[in-house]
Amino acid sequence: MTKEEVSMIGFQVVAYSGEARSKFLEAIKNEKNKGDREYTKQLVAEGTEKLNKAHNVQTELLAAEADGEDIELGFIFVHGQDHLMTTILLKDILENIFDIYAE
């Protein structure tokens, strides 16, 4: 796989993770402002769908490398990994944040 192909995968990971992050942050803001709980759930579901897409794109690259394909990584892919991991962390702490705002 060429560096350009890996970069395109990196861009996909950044885009999907960014969309997920935006949905999660909007959900937190909605909860903080005592917004509609169903809207919060919808935002989390939409964010989770985007996060899953980012993870699936990443997994395709990992599977290619595991199959012996030579993968040349660049900074764009590393940047995508950064976005993915921080968004996963944000999703992991959502429920705790919601508990704080529910009090």
Side-chain angles (χ1 to χ4, degrees):
M1 187 172 293
T2 68
K3 189 172 182 179
E4 290 79 24
E5 291 170 323
V6 174
S7 290
M8 291 309 297
I9 291 170
F11 281 129
Q12 288 179 309
V13 172
V14 168
Y16 287 133
S17 296
E19 290 178 51
R21 180 179 181 274
S22 294
K23 296 291 183 182
F24 294 153
L25 291 174
E26 186 177 350
I28 292 168
K29 185 175 182 180
N30 188 60
E31 280 298 297
K32 178 181 177 183
N33 295 328
K34 306 294 186 206
D36 177 23
R37 177 59 88 144
E38 289 305 312
Y39 182 58
T40 296
K41 290 178 183 178
Q42 176 187 338
L43 289 167
V44 172
E46 290 171 5
T48 300
E49 178 184 336
K50 297 297 182 180
L51 189 60
N52 288 339
K53 286 183 178 187
H55 188 262
N56 290 341
V57 170
Q58 173 208 41
T59 300
E60 288 174 22
L61 185 64
L62 294 172
E65 185 175 37
D67 285 341
E69 191 167 340
D70 188 30
I71 308 291
E72 186 178 351
L73 297 179
F75 187 73
I76 293 169
F77 184 77
V78 172
H79 182 63
Q81 290 298 108
D82 220 13
H83 275 272
L84 179 59
M85 294 308 298
T86 57
T87 305
I88 290 171
L89 178 61
L90 177 59
K91 184 177 187 303
D92 288 345
I93 63 173
L94 276 177
E95 291 302 321
N96 291 317
I97 291 172
F98 292 161
D99 288 345
I100 292 168
Y101 290 131
E103 294 177 356

